Every structure is written in C-alpha cells, then in structure tokens.
Amino acid sequence: NNEYVSLCVKSNNNKQYTFCGGPSVFGTLAKEAIQKCNSAFDCWKQWKRAHQRYTANVDNNNNQQNHYPMKATYFLRAARIFARLEEWLGSAAIANNNDDPESNKFRMNLRSTLCPGLSLKDLHGRGDNSANNILPSPPLGLLATHALWSFYGGQRREIMYWMGLMGGMSAYNYGTCTHYTGGLMLGESAVVGVCPLSYRNQTDKFFTVEPQTGRVKCHGTQYYATSNSSKKEYYYDAVLDWMDEYVRRLEVGYYRIGLLTTGNGSIGILHYPHSPVTTSRCVTRGIECCAMAILSPWSHGFRFVYSIQLRLLSEGEDGYEDPQSRGFDTCQLKSRHWRIRLDDDGDNIQRVDGDGVVGLYPLMREGSHRVGGIEYENNATFSYQSCTNEGVSFGGHMLFVPGSVDIPTGSAFPVHLAPFPLQDNPEYMY
C-alpha cells in the first residue's frame, strides 16, 4: 500500500508484558511490533535497530552480526500471526464457546506458558549442534522459523501435558497434545512442535522444519504438515503458512476448547474439526448427532481417530422437539450400527454392529446426560472417541430406547449418524 513499515524496538525491561510470558526480542508484544515509518530512510533506520537488537551480543570478530540475514517479510508476518494469537488468548469471548468460564480460564493459563522470544545469541547457545546450523550462515529453510521464535520462543517445558498450544486428542489408550517449541533442534532440522512425552507407549510426535527446503515434516511419517510441502521442492515460508492457518482455525472455531480426556477431565484444544466440509450433523426426534474425524499417522494399528457427539436438544435450538412431539422425556443409547465405506465407488462396505459405544450407554436429558452412573449436570453433550484403520467415509445409526434400557417407555428407534469424511491427505496437520 505504498507504506513504509518496520518492527518497533523498545526496552527489554518493560515489565507490563510479563503476564504473557515476556516480550519479544524487540521489547514488545506482537500486536505492538509493527510501526509505520515516515520515509524510506526512517524505515531503514528502524530495521537497522531491529537487526542490532536481534543480533546483539553475537561475536563481531567474525563479522557474524552484520552478515546474519533477517528477512523483513518473515518477521512482519510472524508479528501479525502472533498478534492474532495474543488476541485469541486474551479476548473475552471465543467463537462457539459461549463465554464458557472453563474455556476462558484455560486460555489465560495457556498464554502464561509462552516463553519470551529468542535472539540470535539465544539460538546460538541452544544445543551442541545449533551453532553449526544457525551461525554464521543459517540455512534458508530456517529463516522463517527464526522469525517465529523471535516473538515467542516456545512453551515452558514444565507445564502440564494437555496444555499444548497446538492441541491434541485422545481415544482409548492413545493420545497426543502438541506443544509449541522454540530453539529446539533435531539433527539439522528445527522442531516447532512436539509431544513432550511418549504418551501411553505411542510413537513420538514431532513437527520439524527441513533446513534446506523449509518444508514442515510430520517427523517419522510419510506426511508433510502442509499439503503444498509435498508439491514444492523449496517452501521457505511453509512454517508461517502452517502457523497462520492454525491461528485462523482457532479464531473461527474450527478447533475448539474441550475435554481432551474423559477420565481426568483434562481441558485442552481439540483437533476434531468443525466445518460444513468435515463435520456431519443429523437430528432425529430431537437428538443431535455430530461427528468428525482426523488422520493420525503417529498411532499404532489405526489411521483415523473420530469423535461422535450426542445431545438431546433444548428449546430454541435448531431441530428441537418438545417431549410430547418426540415421545419421551429421556432416552438411552442401546446399540450402534456403523457402515464404513471403503472405496469411492461405495461397493465395499464394512459393517460394525455392537452394544453401546465403547462400553457405555448414555442416558440423555434436555440440558444434561448420565453415563456410567455419573450425572453430568449442565452438560447436554455426550462425546466419545474411537478409531478406525481404513475407509473414505463413516456413517450409520444408533438404536435409542425411550425412557431407559431397563425401563423403556416405547419402542426402540434409530438415531442417524450422517456420513462424515475420512481424509487421507488433509491440507494441514497439527
């Protein structure tokens, strides 16, 4: 837009930013990092200051400070990405969460896990091999990663497993939650996301940036974290695209805050996607059934984890029927009957029939539900996760009994599960 912009550089001693884990290398939050300049010369001076701050205390004997490349567009874009993340973490409301106090508390706790930005000197001191990768001539593929790390250098390592900024999911004895990492190297590759533990004896999960190409790899698998990475030989700003899209998904409610595990009630960012393309929704006699799935190449023995969410709708919600119209006050799930389409032609169908779901028989009421003898007041949604190893789409139905299974007040009826896709090649992976 014919404007001159640069990074704003302030004192590192500004204590007002410590609530967010500390300021960037440049002494500001990301949302304050970009400033307009009056002229090209003024812009050059401001970028010179930013470069001096970023390369401060680097050994000048080898002239490393002056020759270290600082790609302006990467730093400006990183600032804009993290400015939006700061807004999401600190805003009073979040899309589709209805100002839920638990969600707001989680976001406040999550922002406190972020570490201050990393300077060139910080990166030089990380690990035995980092000096070879970062100084004096860093690979072009890592420059965008360095720009991200200059604003927030990862998350504190001592935080709870389920507090990963990049979210996760769980099913049966499998679960992941990815932490945003800064300054961490795996060989010559930069690590931007990692599951800090091998949770329940599953495969370690890493997201790495290739030093020569910039592509973001799902380490240990055949997949790249961005589909374009598999199409481009060089993709130097791939990590910025990856992080940009993740923040967008948080902003629009594609990923939501909820229970990552049902056993201990761990709250985190759920990877189950909410969109018209990925999520199916069907209402039968006032019972809403929503479902979605994600590819999980790190797991053993299966490729997809899916989530099915059931609730008896309340008055005013789309698809609601009053007790007289639907024929019951309460109803209970009795059995499941899945139909998994294994090919695009629809000729090959896998059938799965059984009692309950994962051994549970939820009883649904308006505004609450009961499962396993436990009443969940003020929580209408019963949600469960499971796995499948193959297929292109998943659908079927469940049988519900009016009243309860032990004391039925009518005949069993089917609640439909509209087909949802099993995407083998998603555009982004987290």
Side-chain angles (χ1 to χ4, degrees):
N1 296 326
N2 296 320
E3 292 181 339
Y4 298 106
V5 294
S6 71
L7 293 181
C8 179
V9 180
K10 294 184 178 180
S11 169
N12 273 336
N13 298 321
N14 197 331
K15 300 298 184 182
Q16 65 175 306
Y17 300 117
T18 57
F19 79 94
C20 206
S24 69
V25 167
F26 311 102
T28 67
L29 291 176
K31 65 182 180 181
E32 302 168 334
I34 299 177
Q35 63 179 359
K36 293 182 180 180
C37 301
N38 296 324
S39 65
F41 180 66
D42 183 44
C43 186
W44 174 83
K45 288 195 300 181
Q46 294 302 324
W47 277 108
K48 185 69 173 179
R49 289 185 62 200
H51 185 269
Q52 289 173 341
R53 171 65 63 82
Y54 186 63
T55 59
N57 300 318
V58 173
D59 183 8
N60 281 313
N61 291 332
N62 295 324
N63 207 24
Q64 293 171 335
Q65 184 182 41
N66 292 332
H67 284 92
Y68 182 82
M70 184 177 173
K71 192 170 178 63
T73 53
Y74 291 171
F75 282 82
L76 290 173
R77 190 174 176 197
R80 294 187 177 103
I81 291 170
F82 277 119
R84 290 163 45 217
L85 180 63
E86 289 169 356
E87 177 66 22
W88 185 83
L89 290 171
S91 62
I94 175 175
N96 301 311
N97 269 285
N98 300 318
D99 292 328
D100 176 54
E102 288 297 322
S103 295
N104 291 334
K105 180 181 178 181
F106 170 79
R107 285 182 289 122
M108 290 179 62
N109 291 335
L110 183 61
R111 73 184 185 186
S112 70
T113 70
L114 294 175
C115 297
L118 300 174
S119 67
L120 182 60
K121 182 66 174 179
D122 295 325
L123 295 176
H124 183 41
R126 296 293 180 99
D128 294 336
N129 297 325
S130 60
N132 295 329
N133 296 325
I134 297 175
L135 293 175
S137 299
L140 293 177
L142 298 187
L143 294 183
T145 305
H146 294 176
L148 284 176
W149 287 348
S150 73
F151 289 95
Y152 288 103
Q155 291 182 266
R156 291 187 286 110
R157 297 185 180 183
E158 69 273 15
I159 64 175
M160 294 179 60
Y161 182 82
W162 299 110
M163 289 294 291
L165 176 65
M166 309 307 293
M169 52 79 184
S170 68
Y172 295 120
N173 65 339
Y174 172 72
T176 67
C177 190
T178 304
H179 291 212
Y180 166 62
T181 54
L184 182 64
M185 305 298 292
L186 185 64
E188 295 185 349
S189 298
V191 180
V192 289
V194 63
C195 283
L197 301 173
S198 182
Y199 178 64
R200 297 181 183 176
N201 299 317
Q202 299 297 327
T203 303
D204 291 335
K205 182 177 178 181
F206 293 90
F207 291 96
T208 58
V209 180
E210 296 175 339
Q212 303 303 329
T213 68
R215 298 179 297 186
V216 184
K217 189 79 168 60
C218 301
H219 183 73
T221 77
Q222 66 184 24
Y223 294 93
Y224 285 96
T226 64
S227 61
N228 282 337
S229 288
S230 61
K231 305 172 185 176
K232 298 181 179 181
E233 183 177 0
Y234 299 100
Y235 190 4
Y236 295 140
D237 59 348
V239 71
L240 295 174
D241 284 351
W242 183 69
M243 185 64 79
D244 194 344
E245 173 62 17
Y246 182 72
V247 174
R248 187 196 70 82
R249 294 184 179 196
L250 294 178
E251 291 172 326
V252 302
Y254 186 92
Y255 294 148
R256 302 180 183 181
I257 296 170
L259 291 176
L260 278 166
T261 60
T262 55
N264 58 12
S266 300
I267 293 178
I269 298 173
L270 297 171
H271 274 176
Y272 306 110
H274 289 78
S275 79
V277 175
T278 60
T279 305
S280 73
R281 179 182 185 268
C282 190
V283 179
T284 307
R285 291 178 67 171
I287 301 174
E288 179 190 67
C289 178
C290 295
M292 64 288 290
I294 56 174
L295 178 69
S296 182
W298 297 273
S299 58
H300 293 307
F302 56 86
R303 291 167 56 221
F304 300 100
V305 177
Y306 62 86
S307 176
I308 296 178
Q309 300 161 12
L310 301 167
R311 66 189 183 111
L312 186 56
L313 296 172
S314 297
E315 186 174 359
E317 295 182 303
D318 183 26
Y320 172 76
E321 296 183 29
D322 61 41
Q324 184 176 359
S325 298
R326 67 186 183 231
F328 53 85
D329 289 310
T330 67
C331 61
Q332 187 170 16
L333 188 149
K334 181 180 180 181
S335 60
R336 70 189 185 280
H337 306 275
W338 305 146
R339 303 295 180 261
I340 305 173
R341 189 158 59 92
L342 301 179
D343 54 44
D344 292 326
D345 296 331
D347 298 330
N348 193 2
I349 303 293
Q350 179 183 355
R351 303 168 65 95
V352 178
D353 301 288
D355 294 336
V357 288
V358 292
L360 301 175
Y361 303 83
L363 186 142
M364 314 303 293
R365 298 187 181 93
E366 287 188 32
S368 66
H369 71 278
R370 185 182 75 201
V371 62
I374 301 175
E375 294 284 347
Y376 292 87
E377 300 292 340
N378 302 317
N379 182 4
T381 302
F382 166 76
S383 177
Y384 89 95
Q385 286 66 242
S386 191
C387 317
T388 186
N389 191 42
E390 56 187 343
V392 297
S393 70
F394 192 114
H397 70 276
M398 293 153 282
L399 281 184
F400 271 75
V401 177
S404 68
V405 172
D406 293 334
I407 309 176
T409 60
S411 300
F413 62 94
V415 170
H416 298 290
L417 169 64
F420 57 92
L422 302 175
Q423 296 180 323
D424 187 48
N425 187 28
E427 188 174 4
Y428 292 91
M429 295 180 65
Y430 298 98

